[in-house]
Amino acid sequence: MLKSIGLASLLTAMTPIAQAFTLIENVSITDQTITIPINGYHDPIIIPSVPTFNDKEPGVVSISNVTASSFDVQFKEWSYLDGIHGEEYVSFLVVEKGRHHLEDGSVWEAGELTLGTGSKHQFFSESFAHAPHVFVSGQTQNDPDAYSLRVSSTSQQTFGISLNEQEAGNAHVEESIGYLAVYNKVNSGTTNDGTPFNLTQEAINEAGFQKLQGKLLLQEEQSRDSETSHLLEMVSILSMKNNLFAQDNTHYGKDTMSLRLSTSDTFTVVPGETSGQYGNIALIGTNGLTESSYSSSHNYAADSASGAFDGYNSSTKINADAAAKIKRGIWLTTLAQEHWLQVSFNSSAYITAFRVMLYSAASNPGMGVKDVTLQVSNDNVNFVDHESFSLVKSLDQTIELSQPAVGKFVRLKIHNTQGHNYRVIGELEYFGGFVNSGDVVTPPTEPEPSLGTTCASIKQQDPTASSGMYEVDPDGEGGVAPFYAHCEMTANGGGWTLVAHHKDGLDNIAVSLPLSLNELGVLPSEQWQAIQKNMTTGMMFVDEHGKVSQLNKDKLESANCVALSQTTDLSQPPVPYDIGMIWLQEGSGCSASGLDYSFISLSTKSTSRGDGYTRIGAALYQHNVKFDQWPYSSGAYSGAEQDTLYYYVK
């Protein structure tokens, strides 16, 4: 059993627990040491959650004096700072040392090792079926200086671990280090007392990655230099209730760092009522939702919107908390056009992911949805596109959002299917929480309008506008003179401007104004920069077979090797190694080698890796950062399935 307790209850007598897990939530800590009592343990390991980011001075959670009945904790700043630190909040997972097999099939192993400055490998007591998620924490503070722990090279049998002081620090004396390895074959499960947990991995740097609990980020210390930029690291994340435990498990950036959790400056998020295995917040009967809370653009006969939120995938009950099935337990429309399926919450929802399920009788003919856009609204009138996705043909898939969507009305807009005219969803689940009722939420709005006339503004002014050549003036009066551009007014909501038309195997890149679908080339530098600087949504790519890919603005602007803004001339794209690219994100180095890179190629033979790599002339790769929409059977690159690409900006 996992027992969840708050700090106040720790001050009273505690009863023994039947098994070796306790979750201690929301403890306030500062630089002053406090003692936390525990009970029912013989040899406990203490794993802290990611501390909050209230005081911006960097440091770590320091645990010491661990006994069977208590442990000490404080927030310890790096030695070059004054050591005085304001209030932070942190939770603790207390685990009895040993191997634990949970009723849901999960395996949890807690152990201990000793380590001073440097690194070593630690073997598990026995092998896991696959590499587990590993979380580590110091159990002692023998040396007065703060230290962080980094994990790497995790396998079924072992993991690497290193101990780091601040970069300008000295050697560190030996400390006792606790570890927790968690494995579940589907990366989610339930503890023996019914507490759900979820395991994920995310690529994170100092910019952070938004989770339900807040923005998880890497924070470097500055004892040796003032820069704090960090390469993306893969981070294992264990979510339990509203608590987030995380551990970096790569070592691409060498600077000493720690993990912090930055909560929203404008509102707080509460979990709300959750149901099912993964914490669905949209099941009918929970969070005040009734059959009238669901709507759709159209439905066939009795297969109304509420049938997609009743906990049944057709005749199969897939949510243990579900009540009665609604009609056939599905949503179905027979009209071959764009549709939407909506849930109206009673307060602003904070959506981090969604899950789409389908039964085989509908999947095999291709009735499952494919290209979709998540939309949000606060008034049920003005809906804003949040993010677009391309779903694979599957009976069950969960889609993580790049950034959480906030809105009282959440709508899934369906552009097409996997091949059939009918659109069917067996069950739709949403994950996340709700904005605290006392907090003010700024209503979602469309991106800032461009300075002048763009394809997007033309589409906004005239929703019936068709694709073709239009006169545009992206930077407005006083900038680049108005010019003609091709506007794609149908795909992904329309309003996209063609900036490049490229194919594999070219010897050079031609410049063309106007640029059309009928001739190869790129826009001149001035026109390209005017369009790129006024981008509000991102880039879209369409190949000669009509397959559509999409990458959002945030990803394009935050790349660590070649950000889109660094590409000032499409006819001479940056060549960070030996391939011409207009965007490149890479975990370590910028050579597009290994399996840690994603890029948009706009290269020629002279900037490609020999004739054998001419497919890289016009191609998209996504090993590291994933595209928001990806239509190719290869999960990593487009080159084998396309030869020509149209590059659009919105």
Side-chain angles (χ1 to χ4, degrees):
M1 177 175 69
L2 186 147
K3 188 175 181 182
S4 177
I5 50 181
L7 182 58
S9 64
L10 291 169
L11 304 179
T12 61
M14 297 172 57
T15 57
I17 60 173
Q19 298 210 23
F21 302 89
T22 301
L23 180 63
I24 303 172
E25 299 186 83
N26 298 322
V27 177
S28 170
I29 66 171
T30 65
D31 57 279
Q32 300 299 305
T33 300
I34 61 172
T35 299
I36 306 294
I38 55 177
N39 195 16
Y41 291 89
H42 299 290
D43 198 358
I45 295 297
I46 314 298
I47 304 294
S49 69
V50 181
T52 54
F53 199 41
N54 299 329
D55 186 329
K56 305 307 182 191
E57 296 289 7
V60 297
V61 176
S62 171
I63 292 171
S64 59
N65 300 324
V66 179
T67 70
S69 59
S70 68
F71 63 91
D72 292 346
V73 62
Q74 68 179 130
F75 191 93
K76 201 168 188 64
E77 292 185 352
W78 299 109
S79 303
Y80 72 94
L81 298 169
D82 62 14
I84 301 172
H85 200 89
E87 185 180 56
E88 306 288 0
Y89 286 91
V90 64
S91 299
F92 301 92
L93 190 56
V94 185
V95 186
E96 181 70 17
K97 192 182 297 182
R99 188 97 165 187
H100 308 280
H101 295 267
L102 276 61
E103 294 174 359
D104 70 344
S106 304
V107 180
W108 295 45
E109 178 177 312
E112 196 166 7
L113 61 128
T114 57
L115 180 64
T117 302
S119 60
K120 66 187 297 184
H121 274 80
Q122 174 70 23
F123 281 85
F124 301 118
S125 63
E126 58 183 282
S127 295
F128 287 85
H130 294 282
H133 291 72
V134 175
F135 308 87
V136 297
S137 173
Q139 307 295 288
T140 58
Q141 188 67 60
N142 298 327
D143 191 304
D145 293 336
Y147 64 95
S148 66
L149 299 166
R150 304 189 67 176
V151 169
S152 61
S153 305
T154 302
S155 70
Q156 296 166 264
Q157 296 85 21
T158 183
F159 65 93
I161 181 171
S162 62
L163 184 152
N164 304 102
E165 277 199 8
Q166 65 179 36
E167 287 188 277
N170 300 311
H172 197 93
V173 303
E174 195 170 69
E175 305 281 2
S176 292
I177 310 300
Y179 73 84
L180 172 64
V182 183
Y183 169 73
N184 183 288
K185 65 180 180 179
V186 295
N187 287 328
S188 63
T190 307
T191 60
N192 291 350
D193 73 340
T195 301
F197 65 88
N198 187 57
L199 295 161
T200 58
Q201 279 194 329
E202 302 292 351
I204 299 171
N205 60 12
E206 75 283 353
F209 185 89
Q210 191 71 44
K211 300 293 290 184
L212 170 62
Q213 299 85 349
K215 180 173 285 189
L216 178 62
L217 54 90
L218 305 184
Q219 185 185 31
E220 288 189 0
E221 50 82 28
Q222 298 174 281
S223 62
R224 178 170 292 176
D225 55 58
S226 60
E227 65 83 22
T228 56
S229 60
H230 199 95
L231 294 175
L232 282 169
E233 305 284 0
M234 294 303 299
V235 174
S236 289
I237 299 171
L238 168 64
S239 298
M240 301 186 71
K241 298 177 70 175
N242 200 34
N243 305 285
L244 190 146
F245 301 83
Q247 177 66 53
D248 52 299
N249 52 38
T250 54
H251 211 148
Y252 299 134
K254 304 307 178 184
D255 292 351
T256 301
M257 43 69 63
S258 59
L259 293 167
R260 302 291 294 274
L261 187 66
S262 177
T263 54
S264 171
D265 294 330
T266 57
F267 59 82
T268 55
V269 178
V270 294
E273 295 178 281
T274 61
S275 69
Q277 186 177 8
Y278 304 112
N280 176 27
I281 63 171
L283 177 70
I284 188 170
T286 66
N287 297 303
L289 296 171
T290 65
E291 194 164 348
S292 63
S293 302
Y294 311 99
S295 56
S296 61
S297 54
H298 177 265
N299 61 272
Y300 171 74
D303 297 325
S304 61
S306 56
F309 297 91
D310 60 356
Y312 289 81
N313 183 8
S314 186
S315 59
T316 303
K317 186 176 183 178
I318 50 85
N319 190 326
D321 301 304
K325 182 176 67 172
I326 297 177
K327 302 300 190 291
R328 295 199 298 170
I330 65 171
W331 168 75
L332 166 68
T333 177
T334 57
L335 299 182
Q337 62 189 52
E338 286 196 333
H339 286 283
W340 50 263
L341 182 61
Q342 178 179 316
V343 54
S344 302
F345 292 104
N346 293 316
S347 60
S348 290
Y350 183 89
I351 306 298
T352 59
F354 64 94
R355 180 186 182 195
V356 179
M357 283 156 282
L358 190 63
Y359 52 99
S360 58
S363 177
N364 292 336
M367 298 180 191
V369 300
K370 183 181 178 184
D371 296 321
V372 300
T373 297
L374 189 70
Q375 300 179 313
V376 290
S377 171
N378 271 7
D379 58 10
N380 205 22
V381 175
N382 301 298
F383 280 85
V384 174
D385 290 352
H386 179 75
E387 192 170 352
S388 295
F389 307 91
S390 186
L391 280 58
V392 298
K393 189 175 183 180
S394 171
L395 298 180
D396 187 351
Q397 55 192 307
T398 299
I399 297 91
E400 296 271 353
L401 307 189
S402 298
Q403 294 291 331
V406 179
K408 186 176 179 181
F409 305 93
V410 180
R411 177 180 288 184
L412 190 68
K413 189 174 183 180
I414 299 157
H415 304 297
N416 52 43
T417 67
Q418 301 290 344
H420 201 278
N421 285 338
Y422 291 5
R423 282 100 168 102
V424 181
I425 290 181
E427 187 71 6
L428 180 58
E429 295 185 344
Y430 285 104
F431 310 112
F434 295 90
V435 176
N436 187 51
S437 59
D439 295 336
V440 177
V441 180
T442 302
T445 58
E446 291 288 353
E448 286 295 322
S450 55
L451 296 173
T453 303
T454 64
C455 294
S457 67
I458 294 170
K459 178 68 174 179
Q460 188 175 32
Q461 293 165 9
D462 180 9
T464 65
S466 58
S467 300
M469 301 299 294
Y470 291 85
E471 187 176 50
V472 297
D473 188 13
D475 53 3
E477 186 176 353
V480 176
F483 58 94
Y484 280 91
H486 180 84
C487 296
E488 168 54 55
M489 297 302 199
T490 303
N492 283 7
W496 299 89
T497 306
L498 181 68
V499 296
H501 177 191
H502 195 52
K503 66 180 299 182
D504 299 342
L506 297 180
D507 291 308
N508 53 64
I509 300 174
V511 175
S512 179
L513 187 69
L515 179 65
S516 74
L517 298 179
N518 300 319
E519 59 180 297
L520 298 170
V522 300
L523 285 179
S525 177
E526 283 190 344
Q527 285 74 17
W528 153 247
Q529 290 184 50
I531 290 172
Q532 183 251 118
K533 289 177 181 177
N534 289 282
M535 176 176 63
T536 60
T537 303
M539 290 193 73
M540 178 179 73
F541 312 89
V542 182
D543 68 15
E544 69 270 33
H545 308 296
K547 294 182 178 179
V548 178
S549 313
Q550 191 172 323
L551 195 59
N552 69 52
K553 178 183 177 181
D554 288 342
K555 294 177 182 178
L556 289 165
E557 292 183 339
S558 62
N560 59 351
C561 292
V562 180
L564 191 67
S565 59
Q566 295 173 258
T567 305
T568 58
D569 189 342
L570 292 175
S571 67
Q572 298 182 28
V575 185
Y577 191 62
D578 56 3
I579 302 168
M581 305 172 185
I582 62 174
W583 174 79
L584 170 62
Q585 171 75 47
E586 190 153 2
S588 178
C590 293
S591 62
S593 60
L595 299 177
D596 65 340
Y597 61 86
S598 298
F599 66 68
I600 302 167
S601 171
L602 189 66
S603 62
T604 62
K605 287 182 179 179
S606 61
T607 61
S608 299
R609 299 177 181 180
D611 290 340
Y613 286 82
T614 53
R615 69 178 188 274
I616 299 176
L620 311 171
Y621 276 60
Q622 60 158 14
H623 286 302
N624 188 313
V625 175
K626 300 299 183 183
F627 280 66
D628 302 286
Q629 190 167 327
W630 187 259
Y632 300 103
S633 58
S634 167
Y637 64 93
S638 67
E641 299 176 50
Q642 52 81 208
D643 174 62
T644 300
L645 278 181
Y646 300 100
Y647 302 62
Y648 294 91
V649 169
K650 181 178 179 181

